[in-house]
Amino acid sequence: MSEKVKKCKVCGRIITDKKNVTGLCPKHQKGLNDGAAVVGIGAVALGLKKIGPKILKGAIKIIKR
């Protein structure tokens, strides 16, 4: 084995991928990505709910011209 063995920060599983920068195994990496996607979609939805009507009114004014 190499001198520096990478292990998952959550479960301690040994990571064999040399390019892994997160320090998480594939199972926990997927969970992290899913969580980040949910937060991103929520932020976009909240932004559209707050700013969407203004954008829509502006677009309608441009179309009417």
Side-chain angles (χ1 to χ4, degrees), residues 2 8 10-12 14-16 21 24 30-32 34 37-38 40 42 45 47 55 60:
S2 66
C8 178
V10 180
C11 64
I14 295 174
I15 301 169
T16 58
V21 254
L24 298 174
K30 184 176 184 236
L32 178 71
D34 292 346
V38 168
I55 294 172
I60 291 173

Side-chain angles (χ1 to χ4, degrees), residues 46-58:
L46 184 63
L48 285 177
K49 183 178 179 185
K50 199 168 194 176
I51 304 173
K54 293 177 186 175
I55 294 172
L56 188 61
K57 287 178 186 177

Side-chain angles (χ1 to χ4, degrees), residues 4-53:
K4 187 176 178 185
V5 176
K6 288 185 181 179
K7 291 188 176 181
C8 178
K9 294 177 183 176
V10 180
C11 64
R13 179 178 169 184
I14 295 174
I15 301 169
T16 58
D17 186 15
K18 305 269 191 252
K19 296 180 182 179
N20 188 330
V21 254
T22 61
L24 298 174
C25 65
K27 176 183 173 186
H28 292 107
Q29 179 72 35
K30 184 176 184 236
L32 178 71
N33 289 344
D34 292 346
V38 168
V39 170
I41 290 171
V44 168
L46 184 63
L48 285 177
K49 183 178 179 185
K50 199 168 194 176
I51 304 173

